[in-house]
Amino acid sequence: MKNKLIYKSAILILSALPLFSCAKKKVEVELPPETLVLSHNWYYINADGFNKINSPKDAPLVMKKPYTEACRISGIGQTVSPSGNRNAPVYAIVNHSGVIEFNNDEATLYSDKLMFKDFTADGIVFMNDNPVFSFYKDSFFNDTLNSQLSSHTEDQDISVLVQFDVKAKTFFPILNTETLKLTPTSQVTDYHWDGNYWYYCIKDSKADRTEFTYIQWNPNTALLSILPNDPKIDSETNIDKKTKVELSKSSEDKFRKLKQPKNYTEAPDRVKKLLAHLAGNFAFSVNLKTAGGPSPRRYENKIGDNQMLEAVGQLADTWTAVMFKDGTMYFSGAISERRIINNSKPIAIRLPKLPEGFIYTDFGISGDTLYASWEEAAFYETGRSGFISVDLGQILYND
């Protein structure tokens, strides 16, 4: 499915001052009376792809499911912009479906329903400029897990780590249960990629006890350049694929340190400069990604016992941005191959207000277009979901 995104107009707010709200705490910040026309489009997602709508409330009703089992965008990855290429794509993982490639104002879904059917796809990162993500089954919500475990044999290769090849536009596994030496009663429950090593937490649910083990492995270029199940490649290179993954033991302490939130004082300077107006007055956390990089790191700005507002952030080569769940976004720098905005001082953009019970979850920027995912959220369940595309060229450069 390939759609050319055609924009429509709506009035939104642009400001250089802090602005956002929190429904539970009724936090509101007065905005200056500066408005402009912002072009955007709404899309909803289902098992067959995505379709244009006028508003998220117009998306077809669906039964709410645990977020691990719902068809939703589980993560968006920002690629590194090659010199002279303003259209570096952004990739979104669609749970139980495939990957959407956002390339400036075009969106293309590459689906593999058979491969994605029974697994939760999450944790998008990049290795060798290709999106990589994990497959897992939630032991509490996924009703196919027990049948999988009971039928698991040594001959079954169940994918654990999957790559989307951006040139071939196809999916192939990097790691499977056999490589990780998982038993019929064990599964991966958490993971982290620091750019050099993958770390896995493995849960083994035995009849009389539950055990956790931790492993790590260092991928190499040869591993990522060889497609699985291709005997021709193996015969030509005389390389045994199974020897490329060298597992070693890790520890619970090391894994916890990798996953543990950091104090906001340790956040990159670009982020602290972007949110300087907020840090002294609001408690918040930022799940921060680096374009083309490893797993995100979470930074927490705690203020007493105040409830923390949650945000996602991206560090790209020419810009920094952070988005809160209500659609309040802070931006500084320049979108690729454009001039710097506001002398590198932060600006605040408010995305269109979502209906009650909906939140924004992640974002990426390709060329002049901002993409942000949204979903209908109720505690751990997700209902309708989709994304919005916004013409940043019009906002920032008056195109």
Side-chain angles (χ1 to χ4, degrees), residues 146-227:
N146 291 333
S147 60
Q148 170 216 317
L149 294 177
S150 62
S151 63
H152 181 81
T153 68
E154 292 184 357
D155 294 330
Q156 279 189 295
D157 291 344
I158 299 172
S159 298
V160 174
L161 192 64
V162 179
Q163 175 175 300
F164 177 69
D165 189 300
V166 298
K167 293 182 179 179
K169 310 298 185 186
T170 189
F171 304 92
F172 65 86
I174 296 174
L175 284 185
N176 53 42
T177 52
E178 181 184 6
T179 307
L180 292 181
K181 300 179 176 63
L182 298 187
T183 68
T185 59
S186 64
Q187 68 163 329
V188 172
T189 59
D190 207 353
Y191 45 85
H192 186 87
W193 161 241
D194 69 0
N196 293 309
Y197 282 85
W198 273 93
Y199 299 87
Y200 278 95
C201 172
I202 298 174
K203 177 182 178 181
D204 194 350
S205 303
K206 300 181 183 296
D208 58 341
R209 66 188 186 281
T210 298
E211 296 179 344
F212 289 90
T213 56
Y214 301 86
I215 60 175
Q216 65 186 51
W217 69 284
N218 174 229
N220 56 50
T221 303
L223 171 70
L224 299 180
S225 64
I226 295 178
L227 295 174

Coordinates of all heavy atoms in Angstrom, one line a residue, residues 146-227:
N146 N 1.2 -20.9 25.3 CA 1.3 -22.2 25.9 C 1.3 -23.3 24.8 O 2.0 -24.3 24.9 CB 0.0 -22.4 26.8 CG 0.1 -21.6 28.1 OD1 1.2 -21.2 28.5 ND2 -1.0 -21.2 28.6
S147 N 0.5 -23.1 23.7 CA 0.5 -24.1 22.7 C 1.9 -24.1 22.0 O 2.4 -25.1 21.5 CB -0.6 -23.8 21.7 OG -0.5 -22.6 21.1
Q148 N 2.5 -22.9 21.8 CA 3.8 -22.8 21.2 C 4.8 -23.6 22.1 O 5.6 -24.4 21.5 CB 4.2 -21.4 21.0 CG 5.7 -21.2 20.6 CD 6.3 -20.0 21.2 OE1 5.7 -19.0 21.3 NE2 7.6 -20.2 21.7
L149 N 4.8 -23.3 23.4 CA 5.8 -24.0 24.2 C 5.6 -25.5 24.3 O 6.6 -26.2 24.3 CB 5.6 -23.4 25.7 CG 6.0 -21.9 25.8 CD1 5.8 -21.4 27.2 CD2 7.5 -21.7 25.4
S150 N 4.3 -25.9 24.3 CA 4.1 -27.4 24.4 C 4.5 -28.1 23.1 O 4.8 -29.3 23.2 CB 2.6 -27.6 24.7 OG 1.8 -27.1 23.6
S151 N 4.5 -27.4 22.0 CA 4.9 -28.0 20.7 C 6.3 -27.7 20.3 O 6.8 -28.2 19.3 CB 3.9 -27.6 19.6 OG 4.0 -26.2 19.4
H152 N 7.0 -26.9 21.1 CA 8.4 -26.5 20.7 C 9.3 -27.7 20.7 O 9.4 -28.5 21.6 CB 8.9 -25.5 21.8 CG 10.2 -25.0 21.5 ND1 10.5 -24.0 20.6 CD2 11.4 -25.3 22.0 CE1 11.8 -23.8 20.5 NE2 12.4 -24.6 21.4
T153 N 10.1 -27.8 19.7 CA 11.1 -28.8 19.5 C 12.4 -28.2 19.1 O 12.4 -27.0 18.8 CB 10.7 -29.9 18.5 OG1 10.7 -29.3 17.2 CG2 9.3 -30.5 18.7
E154 N 13.5 -29.0 19.2 CA 14.7 -28.4 18.8 C 14.8 -28.0 17.3 O 15.6 -27.2 16.9 CB 15.9 -29.4 19.1 CG 16.0 -29.7 20.6 CD 17.2 -30.6 20.9 OE1 17.8 -31.1 19.9 OE2 17.5 -30.9 22.0
D155 N 13.9 -28.5 16.5 CA 13.9 -28.2 15.1 C 13.2 -26.9 14.8 O 13.2 -26.5 13.7 CB 13.3 -29.4 14.3 CG 14.2 -30.6 14.4 OD1 15.4 -30.5 14.6 OD2 13.6 -31.7 14.3
Q156 N 12.4 -26.4 15.8 CA 11.6 -25.2 15.5 C 12.5 -24.0 15.7 O 13.1 -23.8 16.8 CB 10.4 -25.1 16.4 CG 9.2 -26.0 15.9 CD 8.0 -25.7 16.8 OE1 8.0 -26.0 18.0 NE2 7.0 -25.1 16.2
D157 N 12.6 -23.1 14.7 CA 13.3 -21.9 14.9 C 12.3 -20.7 14.9 O 11.8 -20.3 13.9 CB 14.2 -21.7 13.7 CG 15.4 -22.7 13.6 OD1 15.6 -23.3 14.7 OD2 16.0 -22.8 12.6
I158 N 12.1 -20.2 16.1 CA 11.1 -19.2 16.3 C 11.9 -17.9 16.4 O 12.8 -17.7 17.3 CB 10.3 -19.4 17.6 CG1 9.5 -20.7 17.5 CG2 9.3 -18.3 17.9 CD1 8.8 -21.2 18.7
S159 N 11.5 -16.9 15.6 CA 12.3 -15.7 15.5 C 12.2 -14.9 16.8 O 11.1 -14.8 17.5 CB 11.7 -14.8 14.4 OG 11.9 -15.4 13.1
V160 N 13.3 -14.3 17.2 CA 13.4 -13.4 18.4 C 13.8 -12.0 18.0 O 13.3 -11.1 18.6 CB 14.4 -14.0 19.4 CG1 14.6 -13.1 20.6 CG2 13.9 -15.4 19.9
L161 N 14.8 -11.9 17.1 CA 15.2 -10.6 16.6 C 15.1 -10.6 15.1 O 15.6 -11.5 14.4 CB 16.7 -10.4 17.1 CG 17.3 -9.0 16.9 CD1 16.6 -8.0 17.8 CD2 18.8 -9.0 17.2
V162 N 14.4 -9.6 14.6 CA 14.1 -9.5 13.2 C 14.6 -8.2 12.6 O 14.6 -7.1 13.2 CB 12.6 -9.6 13.0 CG1 12.2 -9.5 11.5 CG2 12.1 -10.9 13.5
Q163 N 15.1 -8.3 11.3 CA 15.6 -7.1 10.6 C 14.7 -6.8 9.4 O 14.3 -7.8 8.7 CB 17.0 -7.3 10.2 CG 17.5 -6.1 9.3 CD 19.0 -6.3 9.0 OE1 19.8 -6.3 9.8 NE2 19.3 -6.3 7.7
F164 N 14.4 -5.5 9.2 CA 13.8 -5.1 7.9 C 14.8 -4.6 7.0 O 15.5 -3.6 7.3 CB 12.7 -4.1 8.2 CG 12.0 -3.6 6.9 CD1 11.2 -4.4 6.2 CD2 12.3 -2.3 6.5 CE1 10.6 -3.9 5.0 CE2 11.7 -1.8 5.3 CZ 10.8 -2.6 4.6
D165 N 15.1 -5.3 5.9 CA 16.1 -4.9 4.9 C 15.5 -3.7 4.1 O 14.5 -3.9 3.3 CB 16.5 -6.1 4.0 CG 17.6 -5.7 3.1 OD1 17.5 -4.8 2.3 OD2 18.7 -6.4 3.2
V166 N 16.1 -2.5 4.2 CA 15.5 -1.4 3.6 C 15.7 -1.4 2.0 O 14.9 -0.7 1.3 CB 16.1 -0.1 4.1 CG1 15.8 0.0 5.6 CG2 17.6 0.0 3.9
K167 N 16.6 -2.2 1.5 CA 16.8 -2.2 0.1 C 15.9 -3.3 -0.5 O 15.2 -3.1 -1.5 CB 18.2 -2.5 -0.3 CG 19.2 -1.3 0.1 CD 20.6 -1.6 -0.3 CE 21.5 -0.4 0.0 NZ 22.9 -0.7 -0.3
A168 N 15.9 -4.5 0.1 CA 15.1 -5.6 -0.4 C 13.6 -5.5 0.0 O 12.8 -6.2 -0.6 CB 15.6 -6.9 0.1
K169 N 13.3 -4.6 1.0 CA 12.0 -4.4 1.5 C 11.4 -5.7 2.0 O 10.2 -6.1 1.6 CB 11.1 -3.8 0.4 CG 11.6 -2.6 -0.3 CD 11.8 -1.4 0.7 CE 12.3 -0.1 0.0 NZ 12.6 1.0 0.9
T170 N 12.1 -6.4 2.8 CA 11.7 -7.7 3.3 C 12.2 -7.9 4.7 O 13.1 -7.2 5.1 CB 12.1 -8.9 2.3 OG1 11.5 -10.1 2.7 CG2 13.6 -9.1 2.4
F171 N 11.6 -8.9 5.4 CA 12.0 -9.2 6.7 C 12.8 -10.5 6.8 O 12.5 -11.4 6.1 CB 10.7 -9.4 7.6 CG 9.8 -8.2 7.6 CD1 8.8 -8.1 6.7 CD2 10.0 -7.1 8.5 CE1 7.9 -7.0 6.6 CE2 9.2 -6.0 8.4 CZ 8.1 -6.0 7.5
F172 N 13.8 -10.6 7.7 CA 14.4 -11.8 7.9 C 15.0 -11.9 9.4 O 15.3 -10.8 9.9 CB 15.5 -12.1 6.9 CG 16.7 -11.2 7.0 CD1 17.8 -11.4 7.9 CD2 16.8 -10.1 6.1 CE1 18.9 -10.6 7.9 CE2 17.9 -9.2 6.2 CZ 18.9 -9.5 7.1
P173 N 15.0 -13.1 10.0 CA 15.4 -13.2 11.4 C 16.9 -13.1 11.5 O 17.7 -13.6 10.7 CB 14.9 -14.6 11.8 CG 14.8 -15.3 10.5 CD 14.5 -14.3 9.4
I174 N 17.3 -12.5 12.6 CA 18.8 -12.5 13.0 C 19.0 -13.5 14.1 O 20.0 -14.2 14.0 CB 19.2 -11.1 13.4 CG1 19.0 -10.1 12.3 CG2 20.6 -11.0 13.9 CD1 19.3 -8.6 12.7
L175 N 18.1 -13.5 15.0 CA 18.2 -14.5 16.1 C 16.9 -15.3 16.2 O 15.9 -14.8 16.0 CB 18.5 -13.8 17.5 CG 19.9 -13.2 17.8 CD1 19.9 -12.7 19.2 CD2 20.9 -14.3 17.6
N176 N 17.1 -16.5 16.7 CA 15.9 -17.3 16.9 C 16.1 -18.1 18.2 O 17.1 -18.0 18.9 CB 15.6 -18.3 15.8 CG 16.8 -19.1 15.4 OD1 17.5 -19.6 16.3 ND2 17.0 -19.3 14.1
T177 N 15.0 -18.8 18.6 CA 15.0 -19.5 19.9 C 16.1 -20.6 20.0 O 16.7 -20.9 21.0 CB 13.7 -20.2 20.2 OG1 13.3 -21.0 19.1 CG2 12.6 -19.1 20.4
E178 N 16.4 -21.2 18.8 CA 17.5 -22.2 18.8 C 18.9 -21.6 19.1 O 19.7 -22.1 19.9 CB 17.5 -22.9 17.5 CG 18.6 -24.0 17.4 CD 18.7 -24.7 16.1 OE1 18.0 -24.2 15.1 OE2 19.4 -25.7 15.9
T179 N 19.1 -20.4 18.5 CA 20.4 -19.7 18.7 C 20.6 -19.3 20.1 O 21.7 -19.4 20.7 CB 20.5 -18.5 17.8 OG1 20.2 -18.9 16.4 CG2 21.9 -17.9 17.8
L180 N 19.5 -18.9 20.7 CA 19.6 -18.4 22.1 C 19.5 -19.6 23.1 O 19.5 -19.4 24.3 CB 18.5 -17.4 22.4 CG 18.6 -16.1 21.7 CD1 17.4 -15.2 22.2 CD2 19.9 -15.4 22.1
K181 N 19.3 -20.8 22.6 CA 19.2 -22.0 23.4 C 18.1 -21.9 24.4 O 18.2 -22.3 25.6 CB 20.5 -22.3 24.1 CG 21.7 -22.4 23.1 CD 23.0 -22.6 23.9 CE 24.2 -22.9 23.0 NZ 24.5 -21.8 22.1
L182 N 16.9 -21.4 23.9 CA 15.8 -21.3 24.8 C 15.1 -22.7 25.0 O 15.0 -23.5 24.0 CB 14.7 -20.3 24.3 CG 15.2 -18.9 24.1 CD1 14.0 -18.0 23.7 CD2 15.8 -18.4 25.4
T183 N 14.7 -23.0 26.2 CA 14.0 -24.3 26.4 C 12.5 -24.1 26.1 O 12.0 -23.0 26.0 CB 14.2 -24.7 27.9 OG1 13.5 -23.8 28.7 CG2 15.7 -24.7 28.3
P184 N 11.7 -25.2 26.1 CA 10.3 -25.1 25.9 C 9.5 -24.3 26.9 O 8.4 -23.8 26.7 CB 9.8 -26.5 25.9 CG 11.0 -27.3 25.5 CD 12.1 -26.6 26.1
T185 N 10.1 -24.0 28.1 CA 9.5 -23.3 29.1 C 10.0 -21.9 29.3 O 9.7 -21.1 30.2 CB 9.6 -24.0 30.5 OG1 11.0 -24.2 30.8 CG2 8.9 -25.4 30.4
S186 N 10.9 -21.5 28.4 CA 11.6 -20.1 28.6 C 11.3 -19.2 27.4 O 11.0 -19.7 26.3 CB 13.1 -20.3 28.7 OG 13.7 -20.9 27.6
Q187 N 11.4 -17.9 27.7 CA 11.2 -16.9 26.6 C 11.9 -15.6 27.0 O 12.2 -15.4 28.2 CB 9.7 -16.7 26.4 CG 9.0 -16.0 27.5 CD 7.7 -15.3 27.1 OE1 7.5 -14.9 25.9 NE2 6.8 -15.3 28.0
V188 N 12.2 -14.8 26.0 CA 12.8 -13.5 26.2 C 11.7 -12.6 26.8 O 10.6 -12.5 26.2 CB 13.4 -13.0 24.9 CG1 13.8 -11.5 25.1 CG2 14.6 -13.8 24.5
T189 N 12.0 -11.9 27.9 CA 11.0 -10.9 28.4 C 11.4 -9.5 28.3 O 10.6 -8.6 28.4 CB 10.7 -11.3 29.9 OG1 12.0 -11.2 30.6 CG2 10.1 -12.7 30.1
D190 N 12.7 -9.2 28.1 CA 13.2 -7.9 27.9 C 14.6 -7.9 27.2 O 15.2 -8.9 27.2 CB 13.3 -7.2 29.3 CG 13.2 -5.7 29.2 OD1 13.1 -5.2 28.1 OD2 13.1 -5.1 30.3
Y191 N 15.0 -6.7 26.7 CA 16.2 -6.7 25.9 C 16.7 -5.3 25.8 O 15.9 -4.3 26.1 CB 15.9 -7.2 24.5 CG 14.6 -6.6 23.9 CD1 14.6 -5.4 23.3 CD2 13.4 -7.3 24.1 CE1 13.4 -4.8 22.8 CE2 12.2 -6.8 23.6 CZ 12.2 -5.5 23.0 OH 11.1 -5.0 22.5
H192 N 17.9 -5.1 25.5 CA 18.5 -3.8 25.3 C 19.7 -3.9 24.3 O 20.5 -4.8 24.4 CB 19.0 -3.2 26.7 CG 19.5 -1.8 26.6 ND1 18.7 -0.7 26.8 CD2 20.8 -1.3 26.4 CE1 19.4 0.4 26.7 NE2 20.6 0.1 26.4
W193 N 19.8 -2.9 23.4 CA 20.9 -2.8 22.4 C 21.6 -1.5 22.7 O 21.0 -0.4 22.6 CB 20.3 -2.9 21.0 CG 21.1 -2.4 19.9 CD1 20.8 -1.3 19.0 CD2 22.3 -2.9 19.4 NE1 21.7 -1.2 18.1 CE2 22.7 -2.1 18.3 CE3 23.2 -3.9 19.8 CZ2 23.9 -2.4 17.6 CZ3 24.3 -4.2 19.1 CH2 24.7 -3.4 18.0
D194 N 22.9 -1.6 23.1 CA 23.6 -0.3 23.4 C 24.5 0.1 22.3 O 25.3 1.1 22.4 CB 24.4 -0.5 24.7 CG 25.6 -1.5 24.5 OD1 25.8 -2.0 23.4 OD2 26.4 -1.7 25.4
G195 N 24.3 -0.5 21.1 CA 25.1 -0.1 19.9 C 26.3 -1.0 19.7 O 26.9 -1.0 18.6
N196 N 26.7 -1.8 20.7 CA 27.8 -2.8 20.6 C 27.3 -4.2 21.0 O 27.7 -5.1 20.3 CB 28.9 -2.4 21.5 CG 29.6 -1.1 21.1 OD1 30.0 -1.0 20.0 ND2 29.8 -0.1 22.0
Y197 N 26.5 -4.2 22.0 CA 26.0 -5.5 22.5 C 24.5 -5.5 22.6 O 23.9 -4.5 23.0 CB 26.6 -5.9 23.9 CG 28.1 -6.4 23.8 CD1 29.1 -5.5 23.8 CD2 28.3 -7.8 23.7 CE1 30.4 -6.0 23.7 CE2 29.6 -8.2 23.7 CZ 30.7 -7.3 23.6 OH 32.0 -7.8 23.6
W198 N 23.9 -6.7 22.4 CA 22.5 -7.0 22.7 C 22.5 -7.7 24.1 O 23.3 -8.6 24.3 CB 21.9 -7.9 21.7 CG 21.3 -7.2 20.5 CD1 21.9 -6.9 19.3 CD2 20.0 -6.6 20.5 NE1 21.0 -6.1 18.5 CE2 19.8 -6.0 19.2 CE3 18.9 -6.6 21.4 CZ2 18.7 -5.3 18.8 CZ3 17.7 -5.9 21.0 CH2 17.6 -5.3 19.7
Y199 N 21.6 -7.3 24.9 CA 21.5 -7.9 26.2 C 20.0 -8.4 26.3 O 19.1 -7.7 26.0 CB 21.7 -6.9 27.4 CG 23.1 -6.3 27.4 CD1 23.4 -5.2 26.6 CD2 24.1 -6.9 28.1 CE1 24.7 -4.7 26.6 CE2 25.4 -6.4 28.1 CZ 25.7 -5.2 27.4 OH 26.9 -4.7 27.3
Y200 N 19.9 -9.7 26.8 CA 18.6 -10.3 26.9 C 18.3 -10.8 28.3 O 19.2 -11.4 28.9 CB 18.5 -11.5 25.9 CG 18.1 -11.1 24.5 CD1 19.1 -10.9 23.5 CD2 16.8 -10.9 24.1 CE1 18.8 -10.5 22.3 CE2 16.5 -10.5 22.9 CZ 17.4 -10.3 21.9 OH 17.1 -9.9 20.6
C201 N 17.1 -10.6 28.7 CA 16.6 -11.2 30.0 C 15.7 -12.4 29.6 O 14.7 -12.2 28.8 CB 15.8 -10.2 30.8 SG 15.0 -10.9 32.3
I202 N 16.0 -13.6 30.1 CA 15.3 -14.8 29.7 C 14.6 -15.3 31.0 O 15.2 -15.5 32.0 CB 16.2 -15.8 29.1 CG1 16.8 -15.3 27.8 CG2 15.4 -17.1 28.8 CD1 17.9 -16.2 27.2
K203 N 13.3 -15.5 30.9 CA 12.5 -16.0 32.0 C 12.2 -17.5 31.7 O 11.7 -17.9 30.6 CB 11.2 -15.3 32.1 CG 10.2 -15.8 33.1 CD 8.9 -14.9 33.1 CE 7.9 -15.4 34.1 NZ 6.7 -14.6 34.1
D204 N 12.5 -18.4 32.7 CA 12.2 -19.8 32.5 C 11.2 -20.2 33.6 O 11.4 -20.2 34.8 CB 13.5 -20.6 32.8 CG 13.3 -22.1 32.3 OD1 12.2 -22.5 32.1 OD2 14.3 -22.8 32.3
S205 N 9.9 -20.5 33.1 CA 8.8 -20.8 34.0 C 8.7 -22.3 34.2 O 8.1 -23.0 33.5 CB 7.5 -20.3 33.5 OG 7.6 -18.9 33.2
K206 N 9.4 -22.8 35.2 CA 9.4 -24.2 35.6 C 8.2 -24.5 36.4 O 7.5 -23.6 36.9 CB 10.7 -24.6 36.3 CG 11.9 -24.4 35.5 CD 13.2 -24.8 36.2 CE 14.4 -24.5 35.5 NZ 14.5 -25.3 34.2
A207 N 7.9 -25.8 36.6 CA 6.7 -26.2 37.4 C 6.8 -25.7 38.8 O 5.7 -25.4 39.4 CB 6.6 -27.8 37.3
D208 N 7.9 -25.7 39.4 CA 8.0 -25.4 40.9 C 8.7 -24.1 41.1 O 8.8 -23.6 42.3 CB 8.8 -26.5 41.6 CG 10.2 -26.7 41.0 OD1 10.4 -26.3 39.8 OD2 11.1 -27.3 41.7
R209 N 9.2 -23.4 40.1 CA 9.9 -22.1 40.3 C 10.1 -21.3 39.0 O 9.9 -21.9 37.9 CB 11.2 -22.3 40.9 CG 12.2 -23.0 40.0 CD 13.5 -23.4 40.8 NE 14.5 -24.0 39.9 CZ 14.5 -25.2 39.5 NH1 13.6 -26.1 39.9 NH2 15.5 -25.7 38.7
T210 N 10.4 -20.1 39.1 CA 10.7 -19.2 38.0 C 12.1 -18.7 38.1 O 12.5 -18.2 39.1 CB 9.7 -18.1 37.9 OG1 8.4 -18.5 37.7 CG2 10.1 -17.2 36.7
E211 N 12.9 -18.9 37.0 CA 14.3 -18.5 37.0 C 14.5 -17.4 35.9 O 13.9 -17.5 34.9 CB 15.2 -19.7 36.8 CG 15.2 -20.7 37.9 CD 16.1 -21.9 37.6 OE1 16.5 -22.0 36.5 OE2 16.4 -22.6 38.6
F212 N 15.4 -16.5 36.2 CA 15.8 -15.5 35.2 C 17.3 -15.7 34.9 O 18.1 -15.8 35.8 CB 15.5 -14.1 35.7 CG 14.1 -13.8 35.8 CD1 13.4 -14.0 36.9 CD2 13.5 -13.2 34.7 CE1 12.0 -13.7 37.0 CE2 12.1 -12.9 34.7 CZ 11.4 -13.1 35.9
T213 N 17.7 -15.6 33.6 CA 19.1 -15.6 33.2 C 19.3 -14.5 32.3 O 18.4 -14.0 31.7 CB 19.5 -16.9 32.5 OG1 18.6 -17.2 31.4 CG2 19.4 -18.1 33.5
Y214 N 20.6 -14.1 32.2 CA 20.9 -12.9 31.4 C 22.1 -13.2 30.5 O 23.1 -13.8 30.9 CB 21.2 -11.7 32.3 CG 20.1 -11.3 33.2 CD1 20.0 -12.0 34.4 CD2 19.2 -10.4 32.9 CE1 18.9 -11.7 35.3 CE2 18.1 -10.1 33.7 CZ 18.0 -10.7 34.9 OH 16.9 -10.4 35.7
I215 N 21.9 -12.9 29.2 CA 23.0 -13.2 28.2 C 23.2 -11.9 27.4 O 22.4 -11.0 27.3 CB 22.6 -14.3 27.3 CG1 21.3 -14.0 26.5 CG2 22.4 -15.6 28.0 CD1 20.9 -15.0 25.4
Q216 N 24.4 -11.9 26.7 CA 24.8 -10.8 25.8 C 25.5 -11.4 24.6 O 26.0 -12.5 24.7 CB 25.7 -9.8 26.6 CG 27.0 -10.4 27.0 CD 27.8 -9.4 27.8 OE1 27.3 -8.9 28.8 NE2 29.0 -9.1 27.4
W217 N 25.4 -10.7 23.5 CA 26.1 -11.1 22.3 C 26.5 -9.8 21.5 O 25.8 -8.8 21.5 CB 25.4 -12.1 21.5 CG 24.1 -11.6 20.8 CD1 22.9 -11.3 21.4 CD2 23.9 -11.3 19.4 NE1 22.0 -10.8 20.5 CE2 22.6 -10.8 19.3 CE3 24.8 -11.4 18.3 CZ2 22.1 -10.4 18.0 CZ3 24.3 -11.0 17.1 CH2 23.0 -10.5 17.0
N218 N 27.5 -9.9 20.8 CA 28.1 -8.9 20.0 C 27.9 -9.2 18.5 O 28.6 -10.1 18.0 CB 29.5 -8.6 20.3 CG 30.2 -7.6 19.4 OD1 31.2 -7.8 18.8 ND2 29.5 -6.4 19.2
P219 N 27.0 -8.6 17.8 CA 26.8 -8.8 16.3 C 28.0 -8.3 15.5 O 28.6 -7.4 15.9 CB 25.5 -8.1 16.0 CG 25.4 -7.0 16.9 CD 26.1 -7.5 18.2
N220 N 28.2 -8.9 14.3 CA 29.2 -8.5 13.4 C 28.6 -8.2 12.1 O 27.5 -8.6 11.7 CB 30.4 -9.4 13.4 CG 29.9 -10.8 13.0 OD1 29.2 -11.0 12.0 ND2 30.3 -11.8 13.7
T221 N 29.4 -7.5 11.2 CA 28.9 -7.2 9.9 C 28.5 -8.4 9.1 O 27.6 -8.4 8.3 CB 30.0 -6.3 9.2 OG1 30.3 -5.2 9.9 CG2 29.4 -5.9 7.8
A222 N 29.3 -9.4 9.2 CA 29.1 -10.6 8.4 C 27.7 -11.2 8.7 O 27.0 -11.7 7.8 CB 30.2 -11.7 8.6
L223 N 27.4 -11.2 10.0 CA 26.1 -11.8 10.4 C 24.9 -11.0 9.7 O 24.0 -11.6 9.2 CB 25.9 -11.7 11.9 CG 24.5 -12.0 12.5 CD1 24.3 -13.5 12.3 CD2 24.4 -11.6 13.9
L224 N 25.0 -9.7 9.7 CA 23.9 -8.9 9.2 C 23.9 -8.8 7.7 O 22.9 -8.4 7.1 CB 24.0 -7.5 9.7 CG 23.9 -7.3 11.3 CD1 24.0 -5.9 11.7 CD2 22.6 -7.9 11.8
S225 N 24.9 -9.3 7.0 CA 25.0 -9.2 5.6 C 24.5 -10.5 4.9 O 24.4 -10.6 3.7 CB 26.4 -8.8 5.1 OG 27.3 -9.8 5.4
I226 N 24.3 -11.6 5.7 CA 24.0 -12.9 5.1 C 22.5 -13.2 5.4 O 22.1 -13.1 6.6 CB 24.8 -14.0 5.7 CG1 26.3 -13.8 5.3 CG2 24.4 -15.3 5.3 CD1 27.3 -14.8 5.8
L227 N 21.7 -13.4 4.4 CA 20.3 -13.7 4.6 C 20.2 -15.2 5.1 O 20.9 -16.1 4.6 CB 19.6 -13.6 3.3 CG 19.4 -12.2 2.8 CD1 18.8 -12.2 1.4 CD2 18.7 -11.3 3.7

